Amino acid sequence: MISKKTPLSQAYSWVLTLAVAGILGGSCQSGKDAALNNPVIAEGKQLAQKHCASCHQLPAPELLDKETWVKHVLPAMAVNLGLEVYPADGLYYAGPKSAISFNDWQKLMAYYQALAPEKLKPADKPESTVDDWAMFALEKPQADTSQTAMTTLVAIDTIGHRLFSSDAFRSDVTRWDQQLKPALFRQLNSAAVNAQFFRDATGNERELFTTLGTMKAADIEKGELILLPSTGQGKADSSAVAIDLPRPLQTISADFNKDGLMDWVVCGFGHLKGGLYWLKQQVNHQFTKLPIKEVPGASQAVVGDYNADGWPDLVVLFAHADEGVWLFLNNKKGGFTERNLLQFPAVYGSTSFQLVDFNKDGRLDILYTCGDNSDYSKVLKPYHGVYIYLNQGDFRYKQAYFYPINGCTKAVATDFDQDGDLDIATIAFFADFTDDPSEGCLIFEQQKPLQFSPHVMPVSTYGRWICIDVNDIDQDGDADIVLGNFSKTFIIQEGLKPTWDTHLPLIVLKNKTR
């Protein structure tokens, strides 16, 4: 029999062997249906629905391979259910405060390993690709070989038409001129990951930088919102709008209570703690932090009047545990009512979304990417990539397009070739750098409605792209692309060494359509 403190692999193998052999009353048939006819496996599924789906969408066993489930994901989830796990010895213990018993946990594990594949099959990529520069030409700064590129932000100033970047090692903001020569703009306490450019009440340009606080997956609340003048040099003109934020990734502005004062909304991704916060500006120009949804994973928000009532609302991507896209409608009383628009399994690793009208029906569709691969399931996943969900009306969405991209990080849609429809640029920080490094940056040129020709951009040797910005940097009337290179760490493929430039902080892809 199994004791309450038994090696994970031994305890699990005992239960699974009995289940598969039919000793506990199962069927001798093969396949998924046969497994689910086995009482142990069937009960394991019910236990997964009870304990896993209480926090997020229930992940199907087929989403990961057996080894990843048993050795990585399920032991990590056991801690959330109050089980004590001892990875070094392969032991765990169900104590009096555990939400699940030892034997029930074994059945839950048996369900996942019985139905999970030995290995995930790579996705079939439906369209043939074109190896070229599409409508772009490469421009790059001179690499400083004394520096390792750890770029966390690239941002095109839409007012002053300047280029900014930030670096995790140096915790700075760098400004680049038209010849891509760098100059220190401001030293910060941690790396910036988001920038907003606007004019204040006096007409002067200001920049608001969101700093992460820490790259570590930990509950360290050191993120800040730093407001700077356009010169960037005068400390007296800078101010901290907010401090001690839980790993914030983005900040957006609107007058959410219509009192004539600009407010901010912060996406605090956090780790086990985080949330979506409204920084409400008071008459003394100080800010009060009010939680809108206090759960970790808030990563990106878009403001707009989505129900046409004249008040600003929010659409927000949450990318931790209960992953998905939520709508927050302004209740005009100092709060919001929420509605889920899309929901994804917790293993998807949601990374970005954009609201754009792909089919020109006057309704905003959702461009979505998933590909964060830095947690417990560090394997290439065939469902990672870029998706399009068409708006069916009444805030209902239906998937209309998918293109598999390992580790897809972000997608931006705009009319790059200026032919009247939307094209897409994608980057993939967790691309398959062993067998297909070119998927790190792709351009999808739309030929017919929702039919795209993927262009493989030959930029994989210049960097490993973690951030992207798209705008008209040279003011010639078409959209350019800037890619930021985070060249070291977070490598999940065993034995992989950088095949890309580790010193070049960024590159610019100048659009040659005009």
mmCIF file with all atom_site columns, all heavy atoms in Angstrom, residues 99-115:
data_model
loop_
_atom_site.group_PDB
_atom_site.id
_atom_site.type_symbol
_atom_site.label_atom_id
_atom_site.label_alt_id
_atom_site.label_comp_id
_atom_site.label_asym_id
_atom_site.label_entity_id
_atom_site.label_seq_id
_atom_site.pdbx_PDB_ins_code
_atom_site.Cartn_x
_atom_site.Cartn_y
_atom_site.Cartn_z
_atom_site.occupancy
_atom_site.B_iso_or_equiv
_atom_site.pdbx_formal_charge
_atom_site.auth_seq_id
_atom_site.auth_comp_id
_atom_site.auth_asym_id
_atom_site.auth_atom_id
_atom_site.pdbx_PDB_model_num
ATOM 1   N N   . ALA A 1 99  ? -6.314  20.579 0.837   1.00 0.00 ? 99  ALA A N   1
ATOM 2   C CA  . ALA A 1 99  ? -7.651  20.605 0.223   1.00 0.00 ? 99  ALA A CA  1
ATOM 3   C C   . ALA A 1 99  ? -7.995  19.294 -0.455  1.00 0.00 ? 99  ALA A C   1
ATOM 4   O O   . ALA A 1 99  ? -9.142  19.099 -0.872  1.00 0.00 ? 99  ALA A O   1
ATOM 5   C CB  . ALA A 1 99  ? -7.731  21.746 -0.781  1.00 0.00 ? 99  ALA A CB  1
ATOM 6   N N   . ILE A 1 100 ? -7.015  18.398 -0.583  1.00 0.00 ? 100 ILE A N   1
ATOM 7   C CA  . ILE A 1 100 ? -7.238  17.115 -1.251  1.00 0.00 ? 100 ILE A CA  1
ATOM 8   C C   . ILE A 1 100 ? -6.460  16.052 -0.493  1.00 0.00 ? 100 ILE A C   1
ATOM 9   O O   . ILE A 1 100 ? -5.380  16.308 0.050   1.00 0.00 ? 100 ILE A O   1
ATOM 10  C CB  . ILE A 1 100 ? -6.792  17.194 -2.742  1.00 0.00 ? 100 ILE A CB  1
ATOM 11  C CG1 . ILE A 1 100 ? -7.194  15.936 -3.497  1.00 0.00 ? 100 ILE A CG1 1
ATOM 12  C CG2 . ILE A 1 100 ? -5.302  17.472 -2.858  1.00 0.00 ? 100 ILE A CG2 1
ATOM 13  C CD1 . ILE A 1 100 ? -6.970  16.058 -5.011  1.00 0.00 ? 100 ILE A CD1 1
ATOM 14  N N   . SER A 1 101 ? -7.015  14.850 -0.430  1.00 0.00 ? 101 SER A N   1
ATOM 15  C CA  . SER A 1 101 ? -6.336  13.767 0.279   1.00 0.00 ? 101 SER A CA  1
ATOM 16  C C   . SER A 1 101 ? -5.223  13.177 -0.584  1.00 0.00 ? 101 SER A C   1
ATOM 17  O O   . SER A 1 101 ? -5.166  13.386 -1.796  1.00 0.00 ? 101 SER A O   1
ATOM 18  C CB  . SER A 1 101 ? -7.336  12.664 0.636   1.00 0.00 ? 101 SER A CB  1
ATOM 19  O OG  . SER A 1 101 ? -7.758  11.982 -0.544  1.00 0.00 ? 101 SER A OG  1
ATOM 20  N N   . PHE A 1 102 ? -4.359  12.419 0.057   1.00 0.00 ? 102 PHE A N   1
ATOM 21  C CA  . PHE A 1 102 ? -3.247  11.773 -0.641  1.00 0.00 ? 102 PHE A CA  1
ATOM 22  C C   . PHE A 1 102 ? -3.760  10.874 -1.764  1.00 0.00 ? 102 PHE A C   1
ATOM 23  O O   . PHE A 1 102 ? -3.310  10.955 -2.906  1.00 0.00 ? 102 PHE A O   1
ATOM 24  C CB  . PHE A 1 102 ? -2.438  10.970 0.370   1.00 0.00 ? 102 PHE A CB  1
ATOM 25  C CG  . PHE A 1 102 ? -1.232  10.280 -0.207  1.00 0.00 ? 102 PHE A CG  1
ATOM 26  C CD1 . PHE A 1 102 ? 0.005   10.896 -0.216  1.00 0.00 ? 102 PHE A CD1 1
ATOM 27  C CD2 . PHE A 1 102 ? -1.343  9.006  -0.749  1.00 0.00 ? 102 PHE A CD2 1
ATOM 28  C CE1 . PHE A 1 102 ? 1.109   10.262 -0.751  1.00 0.00 ? 102 PHE A CE1 1
ATOM 29  C CE2 . PHE A 1 102 ? -0.241  8.373  -1.282  1.00 0.00 ? 102 PHE A CE2 1
ATOM 30  C CZ  . PHE A 1 102 ? 0.986   8.996  -1.285  1.00 0.00 ? 102 PHE A CZ  1
ATOM 31  N N   . ASN A 1 103 ? -4.720  10.001 -1.473  1.00 0.00 ? 103 ASN A N   1
ATOM 32  C CA  . ASN A 1 103 ? -5.210  9.052  -2.470  1.00 0.00 ? 103 ASN A CA  1
ATOM 33  C C   . ASN A 1 103 ? -5.946  9.755  -3.609  1.00 0.00 ? 103 ASN A C   1
ATOM 34  O O   . ASN A 1 103 ? -5.829  9.357  -4.770  1.00 0.00 ? 103 ASN A O   1
ATOM 35  C CB  . ASN A 1 103 ? -6.125  8.011  -1.807  1.00 0.00 ? 103 ASN A CB  1
ATOM 36  C CG  . ASN A 1 103 ? -5.343  7.018  -0.966  1.00 0.00 ? 103 ASN A CG  1
ATOM 37  O OD1 . ASN A 1 103 ? -4.163  6.791  -1.211  1.00 0.00 ? 103 ASN A OD1 1
ATOM 38  N ND2 . ASN A 1 103 ? -5.996  6.450  0.038   1.00 0.00 ? 103 ASN A ND2 1
ATOM 39  N N   . ASP A 1 104 ? -6.708  10.791 -3.272  1.00 0.00 ? 104 ASP A N   1
ATOM 40  C CA  . ASP A 1 104 ? -7.401  11.528 -4.334  1.00 0.00 ? 104 ASP A CA  1
ATOM 41  C C   . ASP A 1 104 ? -6.403  12.230 -5.252  1.00 0.00 ? 104 ASP A C   1
ATOM 42  O O   . ASP A 1 104 ? -6.609  12.316 -6.469  1.00 0.00 ? 104 ASP A O   1
ATOM 43  C CB  . ASP A 1 104 ? -8.362  12.549 -3.731  1.00 0.00 ? 104 ASP A CB  1
ATOM 44  C CG  . ASP A 1 104 ? -9.663  11.918 -3.266  1.00 0.00 ? 104 ASP A CG  1
ATOM 45  O OD1 . ASP A 1 104 ? -9.880  10.724 -3.563  1.00 0.00 ? 104 ASP A OD1 1
ATOM 46  O OD2 . ASP A 1 104 ? -10.455 12.618 -2.595  1.00 0.00 ? 104 ASP A OD2 1
ATOM 47  N N   . TRP A 1 105 ? -5.312  12.736 -4.673  1.00 0.00 ? 105 TRP A N   1
ATOM 48  C CA  . TRP A 1 105 ? -4.301  13.379 -5.521  1.00 0.00 ? 105 TRP A CA  1
ATOM 49  C C   . TRP A 1 105 ? -3.671  12.373 -6.490  1.00 0.00 ? 105 TRP A C   1
ATOM 50  O O   . TRP A 1 105 ? -3.397  12.690 -7.645  1.00 0.00 ? 105 TRP A O   1
ATOM 51  C CB  . TRP A 1 105 ? -3.236  14.028 -4.653  1.00 0.00 ? 105 TRP A CB  1
ATOM 52  C CG  . TRP A 1 105 ? -2.165  14.724 -5.466  1.00 0.00 ? 105 TRP A CG  1
ATOM 53  C CD1 . TRP A 1 105 ? -0.871  14.364 -5.607  1.00 0.00 ? 105 TRP A CD1 1
ATOM 54  C CD2 . TRP A 1 105 ? -2.337  15.898 -6.259  1.00 0.00 ? 105 TRP A CD2 1
ATOM 55  N NE1 . TRP A 1 105 ? -0.215  15.225 -6.441  1.00 0.00 ? 105 TRP A NE1 1
ATOM 56  C CE2 . TRP A 1 105 ? -1.100  16.189 -6.859  1.00 0.00 ? 105 TRP A CE2 1
ATOM 57  C CE3 . TRP A 1 105 ? -3.429  16.728 -6.526  1.00 0.00 ? 105 TRP A CE3 1
ATOM 58  C CZ2 . TRP A 1 105 ? -0.899  17.270 -7.702  1.00 0.00 ? 105 TRP A CZ2 1
ATOM 59  C CZ3 . TRP A 1 105 ? -3.234  17.819 -7.372  1.00 0.00 ? 105 TRP A CZ3 1
ATOM 60  C CH2 . TRP A 1 105 ? -1.985  18.074 -7.953  1.00 0.00 ? 105 TRP A CH2 1
ATOM 61  N N   . GLN A 1 106 ? -3.482  11.137 -6.027  1.00 0.00 ? 106 GLN A N   1
ATOM 62  C CA  . GLN A 1 106 ? -2.952  10.100 -6.906  1.00 0.00 ? 106 GLN A CA  1
ATOM 63  C C   . GLN A 1 106 ? -3.912  9.824  -8.070  1.00 0.00 ? 106 GLN A C   1
ATOM 64  O O   . GLN A 1 106 ? -3.488  9.615  -9.210  1.00 0.00 ? 106 GLN A O   1
ATOM 65  C CB  . GLN A 1 106 ? -2.701  8.822  -6.116  1.00 0.00 ? 106 GLN A CB  1
ATOM 66  C CG  . GLN A 1 106 ? -1.675  8.942  -5.003  1.00 0.00 ? 106 GLN A CG  1
ATOM 67  C CD  . GLN A 1 106 ? -0.342  9.459  -5.504  1.00 0.00 ? 106 GLN A CD  1
ATOM 68  O OE1 . GLN A 1 106 ? 0.229   8.922  -6.449  1.00 0.00 ? 106 GLN A OE1 1
ATOM 69  N NE2 . GLN A 1 106 ? 0.152   10.504 -4.886  1.00 0.00 ? 106 GLN A NE2 1
ATOM 70  N N   . LYS A 1 107 ? -5.195  9.832  -7.791  1.00 0.00 ? 107 LYS A N   1
ATOM 71  C CA  . LYS A 1 107 ? -6.181  9.595  -8.855  1.00 0.00 ? 107 LYS A CA  1
ATOM 72  C C   . LYS A 1 107 ? -6.183  10.743 -9.852  1.00 0.00 ? 107 LYS A C   1
ATOM 73  O O   . LYS A 1 107 ? -6.299  10.530 -11.059 1.00 0.00 ? 107 LYS A O   1
ATOM 74  C CB  . LYS A 1 107 ? -7.570  9.420  -8.241  1.00 0.00 ? 107 LYS A CB  1
ATOM 75  C CG  . LYS A 1 107 ? -7.698  8.195  -7.353  1.00 0.00 ? 107 LYS A CG  1
ATOM 76  C CD  . LYS A 1 107 ? -9.026  8.186  -6.604  1.00 0.00 ? 107 LYS A CD  1
ATOM 77  C CE  . LYS A 1 107 ? -9.073  7.029  -5.601  1.00 0.00 ? 107 LYS A CE  1
ATOM 78  N NZ  . LYS A 1 107 ? -10.334 7.070  -4.800  1.00 0.00 ? 107 LYS A NZ  1
ATOM 79  N N   . LEU A 1 108 ? -6.072  11.965 -9.338  1.00 0.00 ? 108 LEU A N   1
ATOM 80  C CA  . LEU A 1 108 ? -6.010  13.130 -10.225 1.00 0.00 ? 108 LEU A CA  1
ATOM 81  C C   . LEU A 1 108 ? -4.781  13.041 -11.136 1.00 0.00 ? 108 LEU A C   1
ATOM 82  O O   . LEU A 1 108 ? -4.860  13.276 -12.345 1.00 0.00 ? 108 LEU A O   1
ATOM 83  C CB  . LEU A 1 108 ? -5.989  14.409 -9.392  1.00 0.00 ? 108 LEU A CB  1
ATOM 84  C CG  . LEU A 1 108 ? -6.109  15.741 -10.121 1.00 0.00 ? 108 LEU A CG  1
ATOM 85  C CD1 . LEU A 1 108 ? -6.748  16.789 -9.202  1.00 0.00 ? 108 LEU A CD1 1
ATOM 86  C CD2 . LEU A 1 108 ? -4.778  16.274 -10.622 1.00 0.00 ? 108 LEU A CD2 1
ATOM 87  N N   . MET A 1 109 ? -3.638  12.652 -10.554 1.00 0.00 ? 109 MET A N   1
ATOM 88  C CA  . MET A 1 109 ? -2.431  12.495 -11.358 1.00 0.00 ? 109 MET A CA  1
ATOM 89  C C   . MET A 1 109 ? -2.582  11.362 -12.373 1.00 0.00 ? 109 MET A C   1
ATOM 90  O O   . MET A 1 109 ? -2.122  11.466 -13.522 1.00 0.00 ? 109 MET A O   1
ATOM 91  C CB  . MET A 1 109 ? -1.229  12.216 -10.448 1.00 0.00 ? 109 MET A CB  1
ATOM 92  C CG  . MET A 1 109 ? -0.798  13.403 -9.590  1.00 0.00 ? 109 MET A CG  1
ATOM 93  S SD  . MET A 1 109 ? 0.630   13.005 -8.549  1.00 0.00 ? 109 MET A SD  1
ATOM 94  C CE  . MET A 1 109 ? 1.907   12.868 -9.785  1.00 0.00 ? 109 MET A CE  1
ATOM 95  N N   . ALA A 1 110 ? -3.238  10.300 -11.970 1.00 0.00 ? 110 ALA A N   1
ATOM 96  C CA  . ALA A 1 110 ? -3.444  9.175  -12.878 1.00 0.00 ? 110 ALA A CA  1
ATOM 97  C C   . ALA A 1 110 ? -4.258  9.594  -14.093 1.00 0.00 ? 110 ALA A C   1
ATOM 98  O O   . ALA A 1 110 ? -3.997  9.159  -15.215 1.00 0.00 ? 110 ALA A O   1
ATOM 99  C CB  . ALA A 1 110 ? -4.135  8.033  -12.144 1.00 0.00 ? 110 ALA A CB  1
ATOM 100 N N   . TYR A 1 111 ? -5.256  10.444 -13.887 1.00 0.00 ? 111 TYR A N   1
ATOM 101 C CA  . TYR A 1 111 ? -6.075  10.946 -14.996 1.00 0.00 ? 111 TYR A CA  1
ATOM 102 C C   . TYR A 1 111 ? -5.215  11.681 -16.023 1.00 0.00 ? 111 TYR A C   1
ATOM 103 O O   . TYR A 1 111 ? -5.317  11.435 -17.237 1.00 0.00 ? 111 TYR A O   1
ATOM 104 C CB  . TYR A 1 111 ? -7.178  11.863 -14.444 1.00 0.00 ? 111 TYR A CB  1
ATOM 105 C CG  . TYR A 1 111 ? -7.811  12.784 -15.465 1.00 0.00 ? 111 TYR A CG  1
ATOM 106 C CD1 . TYR A 1 111 ? -8.566  12.277 -16.510 1.00 0.00 ? 111 TYR A CD1 1
ATOM 107 C CD2 . TYR A 1 111 ? -7.657  14.163 -15.357 1.00 0.00 ? 111 TYR A CD2 1
ATOM 108 C CE1 . TYR A 1 111 ? -9.152  13.128 -17.443 1.00 0.00 ? 111 TYR A CE1 1
ATOM 109 C CE2 . TYR A 1 111 ? -8.232  15.021 -16.283 1.00 0.00 ? 111 TYR A CE2 1
ATOM 110 C CZ  . TYR A 1 111 ? -8.976  14.494 -17.324 1.00 0.00 ? 111 TYR A CZ  1
ATOM 111 O OH  . TYR A 1 111 ? -9.546  15.340 -18.244 1.00 0.00 ? 111 TYR A OH  1
ATOM 112 N N   . TYR A 1 112 ? -4.335  12.546 -15.547 1.00 0.00 ? 112 TYR A N   1
ATOM 113 C CA  . TYR A 1 112 ? -3.527  13.323 -16.483 1.00 0.00 ? 112 TYR A CA  1
ATOM 114 C C   . TYR A 1 112 ? -2.488  12.455 -17.204 1.00 0.00 ? 112 TYR A C   1
ATOM 115 O O   . TYR A 1 112 ? -2.320  12.561 -18.417 1.00 0.00 ? 112 TYR A O   1
ATOM 116 C CB  . TYR A 1 112 ? -2.858  14.502 -15.760 1.00 0.00 ? 112 TYR A CB  1
ATOM 117 C CG  . TYR A 1 112 ? -3.780  15.688 -15.678 1.00 0.00 ? 112 TYR A CG  1
ATOM 118 C CD1 . TYR A 1 112 ? -4.524  15.933 -14.530 1.00 0.00 ? 112 TYR A CD1 1
ATOM 119 C CD2 . TYR A 1 112 ? -3.954  16.539 -16.764 1.00 0.00 ? 112 TYR A CD2 1
ATOM 120 C CE1 . TYR A 1 112 ? -5.401  16.998 -14.458 1.00 0.00 ? 112 TYR A CE1 1
ATOM 121 C CE2 . TYR A 1 112 ? -4.829  17.614 -16.707 1.00 0.00 ? 112 TYR A CE2 1
ATOM 122 C CZ  . TYR A 1 112 ? -5.548  17.842 -15.556 1.00 0.00 ? 112 TYR A CZ  1
ATOM 123 O OH  . TYR A 1 112 ? -6.435  18.902 -15.502 1.00 0.00 ? 112 TYR A OH  1
ATOM 124 N N   . GLN A 1 113 ? -1.824  11.565 -16.491 1.00 0.00 ? 113 GLN A N   1
ATOM 125 C CA  . GLN A 1 113 ? -0.812  10.795 -17.197 1.00 0.00 ? 113 GLN A CA  1
ATOM 126 C C   . GLN A 1 113 ? -1.413  9.721  -18.095 1.00 0.00 ? 113 GLN A C   1
ATOM 127 O O   . GLN A 1 113 ? -0.853  9.403  -19.150 1.00 0.00 ? 113 GLN A O   1
ATOM 128 C CB  . GLN A 1 113 ? 0.188   10.151 -16.237 1.00 0.00 ? 113 GLN A CB  1
ATOM 129 C CG  . GLN A 1 113 ? 1.380   9.570  -16.998 1.00 0.00 ? 113 GLN A CG  1
ATOM 130 C CD  . GLN A 1 113 ? 2.505   9.128  -16.097 1.00 0.00 ? 113 GLN A CD  1
ATOM 131 O OE1 . GLN A 1 113 ? 2.325   9.007  -14.896 1.00 0.00 ? 113 GLN A OE1 1
ATOM 132 N NE2 . GLN A 1 113 ? 3.669   8.869  -16.679 1.00 0.00 ? 113 GLN A NE2 1
ATOM 133 N N   . ALA A 1 114 ? -2.557  9.189  -17.727 1.00 0.00 ? 114 ALA A N   1
ATOM 134 C CA  . ALA A 1 114 ? -3.177  8.173  -18.575 1.00 0.00 ? 114 ALA A CA  1
ATOM 135 C C   . ALA A 1 114 ? -3.597  8.750  -19.922 1.00 0.00 ? 114 ALA A C   1
ATOM 136 O O   . ALA A 1 114 ? -3.526  8.062  -20.951 1.00 0.00 ? 114 ALA A O   1
ATOM 137 C CB  . ALA A 1 114 ? -4.386  7.569  -17.862 1.00 0.00 ? 114 ALA A CB  1
ATOM 138 N N   . LEU A 1 115 ? -4.013  10.016 -19.954 1.00 0.00 ? 115 LEU A N   1
ATOM 139 C CA  . LEU A 1 115 ? -4.548  10.593 -21.191 1.00 0.00 ? 115 LEU A CA  1
ATOM 140 C C   . LEU A 1 115 ? -3.566  11.525 -21.896 1.00 0.00 ? 115 LEU A C   1
ATOM 141 O O   . LEU A 1 115 ? -3.811  11.903 -23.046 1.00 0.00 ? 115 LEU A O   1
ATOM 142 C CB  . LEU A 1 115 ? -5.843  11.355 -20.890 1.00 0.00 ? 115 LEU A CB  1
ATOM 143 C CG  . LEU A 1 115 ? -6.999  10.510 -20.368 1.00 0.00 ? 115 LEU A CG  1
ATOM 144 C CD1 . LEU A 1 115 ? -8.253  11.358 -20.176 1.00 0.00 ? 115 LEU A CD1 1
ATOM 145 C CD2 . LEU A 1 115 ? -7.314  9.357  -21.314 1.00 0.00 ? 115 LEU A CD2 1
#
